[in-house]
Structures are given as structure tokens and as C-alpha cells.
Amino acid sequence: MADVFNTRDVSRDIFSATIGAITCAYVGQPLDTVKVRMQTTPKVYSGIGTSFAHIVRNEGATALWKGAVPTTLGMTAENAMAFGVNEALKRAFPEEEKGSKDANGPPNMIRPFQMGAITGCCSALVLLPSEVVKAKIQVAVGTVSARDIMKQMLKEQGLKSMFCGLDSQLARDASFYAVFFGGYELSCYLFRTYVPSMPEELNFFISGGFAGMFGWACAMPFDVPKTNVQSRYDTKVVGSYLPEMGRIVRKRGILGLYDGLGPVLIRAFPANAALFLGVEMGKKFFDQALWTT
């Protein structure tokens, strides 16, 4: 157990995740704002290009980064938790010792899927308050700050408003991280095996981008109702999610659960490519400059 939570490894996990989170947040925020508008008001924001134009024309280009500060703070906490838990699980259950994988063979896809799901549940608990605030900021038209939103939330529902939509957050994040980490490991292995001349940094970048796209493609049906319940002020901590999912399906059909998929997938590649590249380069910098062994 001491090896799992030793100070150096935990510090390395948190440092590298923080570097990755900052790059991911600012690269992906504009398309995330477009995605939220398309999910909550699809009649007004019906396409990626028209949504971008509508937001910039009416609110200015900086509106595309609405919620960037709480997003970055939440994403830093989320990724510190996600990569920290995932790396701790790898240290706690090293695959090689169990003989479940040949040193030169493909990764065991069941293992990263399971670890990713556990990671997602842990991350959801950390991310929830910032996700609730971010969703409300992004649907607000005009200038509004995170502080204003939080005041309104506390006035309407009290402290529990910070944890509304917990069930939706768990469903979205568990499914996302299960595919996210498994997809990354598989992609890295395939590139190393079939494109051995590819630079390591390029492998991290492309594999991270694909992992993000695959993860969001699987998690999207859970994300749309999550966004809707968290953007309102009448949501329960647990219990609003499934009724909202049913309402969306009745009103918009099954495809309604995929509203905003276009900007999500477009955002997912550069944002998660930047995330994984930042994490991997953060690890190298930590090893070489901050805490050498």
C-alpha cells in the first residue's frame, strides 16, 4: 500500500494532470460552450457554424470562453483525481505480476475498462460542483460571473444546489472514463506496433485525441440530460436524471440524446490530444527537472 501512495508518485500524478488539464480546458472551451447551447436550446443553436456565429455576433468572441475559469479549476481537480486514481490502481494491481499480459502483447482491454469506470465515479464526485456552475453560466445570455451564479444557486436551493444531478454525473463519467483510458492504451499500443517510426510525442497526441472522441461518443447519451438538469435551478441531487432523459426522448426522439455531438467530437480530439500530451510531457519534466530518481 505504501508503494501505491508514495509521495513521489502521487506528486508526479498531480503535477502532470494539472499541466494537461490547463491545456485541455482552454483548447476545448469554445466548442464546449457551443455544445451546451445546442443541447439546451436546439431551436436557436441548431448547427456548429451558425452557433459560433450567433454567439460571436451577439455576445462577442470572449463569450466562447464563458465558464473557462470554473472549467479549468474543475478540470484540474477532475484530472488530478482521474489520473491519480488510475495510476494508483495500476500500481496497486500491476498487470505483469498477474501474468495477464505478455510484455510485448496487446493491452488487456478488460482491465483499463474496469479501472476507467472506477476512476470515473471518483472524478464525478470531485467535478460535480464546478460542472453545475459551468452549465448555468454557459446558458446565461449576457455578462455573468461564476460568483453571481453561485449566489443565485444558494438562494434558490441552498448548499444542495452544488450537488444537483449527482446520478447524471456518475452515469456520464463512469462510461466516459471506461472507454477513455482503454482507448488510449489500445491506440498507443497499435501505433507503437504498426507505426514504430512515429515519434512518441505524436503518438501521445493522436492517441489522446482518439481516446477523447471514442469516450465522448459512448458517453454522449448520458451527457445531454445531465446538461439539461444541471443548467436549471429546480433539479434534485438524485432523481431528476431519468425523467429528463425520458422527456428528451419523447420530445426529440433517440437522436435528441446526441444533440451537440458534432462540436463534442470536434472538440474532443484537440482538447484530449492536448490533455494527454500535457500529462505525458508533465511526467517527463517532473522526472528530469523536479524530482529526479
Side-chain angles (χ1 to χ4, degrees):
M1 187 61 69
D3 290 337
V4 175
F5 297 107
N6 71 79
T7 304
R8 184 188 183 280
D9 286 344
V10 171
S11 299
R12 180 176 183 261
D13 296 339
I14 293 174
F15 175 80
S16 60
T18 299
I19 299 300
I22 294 171
T23 58
C24 177
Y26 280 90
V27 168
Q29 187 65 18
L31 280 161
D32 191 59
T33 298
V34 170
K35 178 207 73 171
V36 170
R37 297 291 180 94
M38 290 178 68
Q39 289 178 342
T40 54
T41 50
K43 291 183 179 179
V44 178
Y45 303 96
S46 57
I48 300 174
T50 56
S51 297
F52 263 111
H54 189 280
I55 294 171
V56 172
R57 183 172 59 250
N58 291 284
E59 302 172 55
T62 56
L64 293 170
W65 279 271
K66 271 189 172 183
V69 173
T71 295
T72 303
L73 294 175
M75 195 169 285
T76 299
E78 176 196 12
N79 282 289
M81 172 68 77
F83 284 89
V85 169
N86 199 257
E87 292 297 326
L89 288 170
K90 290 178 181 178
R91 292 192 292 271
F93 305 102
E95 196 171 12
E96 291 76 13
E97 288 184 8
K98 295 185 177 182
S100 59
K101 180 179 79 171
D102 179 77
N104 297 314
N108 182 334
M109 290 307 296
I110 296 177
R111 180 173 175 267
F113 181 90
Q114 293 171 331
M115 291 184 177
I118 295 171
T119 298
C121 291
C122 295
S123 295
L125 299 176
V126 174
L127 183 65
L128 182 58
S130 67
E131 281 284 289
V132 174
V133 174
K134 183 189 76 169
K136 289 177 170 59
I137 289 177
Q138 289 180 320
V139 299
V141 177
T143 302
V144 63
S145 67
R147 185 177 180 180
D148 295 333
I149 292 293
M150 291 177 67
K151 283 183 177 179
Q152 184 66 22
M153 288 168 56
L154 294 173
K155 180 180 178 182
E156 295 281 345
Q157 293 183 290
L159 188 60
K160 72 175 185 179
S161 64
M162 302 298 295
F163 302 95
C164 288
L166 173 61
D167 48 353
S168 64
Q169 195 77 39
L170 288 169
R172 197 278 304 269
D173 288 355
S175 59
F176 173 77
Y177 278 109
V179 178
F180 187 64
F181 284 111
Y184 180 71
E185 287 196 19
L186 177 61
S187 181
C188 283
Y189 166 75
L190 291 175
F191 280 125
R192 288 187 186 115
T193 302
Y194 297 106
V195 193
S197 61
M198 176 182 286
E200 194 173 42
E201 292 79 9
L202 183 59
N203 189 351
F204 297 149
F205 187 84
I206 296 177
S207 295
F210 284 149
M213 292 181 73
F214 295 148
W216 274 112
C218 293
M220 196 66 190
F222 304 104
D223 185 60
V224 174
K226 181 196 86 72
T227 300
N228 279 267
V229 298
Q230 290 181 343
S231 66
R232 302 198 306 258
Y233 289 89
D234 60 350
T235 302
K236 300 175 183 177
V237 174
V238 174
S240 297
Y241 177 57
L242 290 179
E244 179 63 20
M245 179 178 280
R247 187 192 69 80
I248 291 173
V249 172
R250 288 192 301 272
K251 187 175 180 180
R252 308 181 204 170
I254 293 293
L255 292 179
L257 295 175
Y258 292 88
D259 280 342
L261 181 61
V264 165
L265 294 182
I266 294 173
R267 169 193 178 273
F269 190 92
N272 289 285
L275 170 62
F276 272 103
L277 181 60
V279 168
E280 298 291 358
M281 293 299 98
K283 289 178 182 178
K284 286 190 174 183
F285 180 80
F286 185 92
D287 291 340
Q288 296 170 3
L290 297 182
W291 197 325
T292 58
T293 55

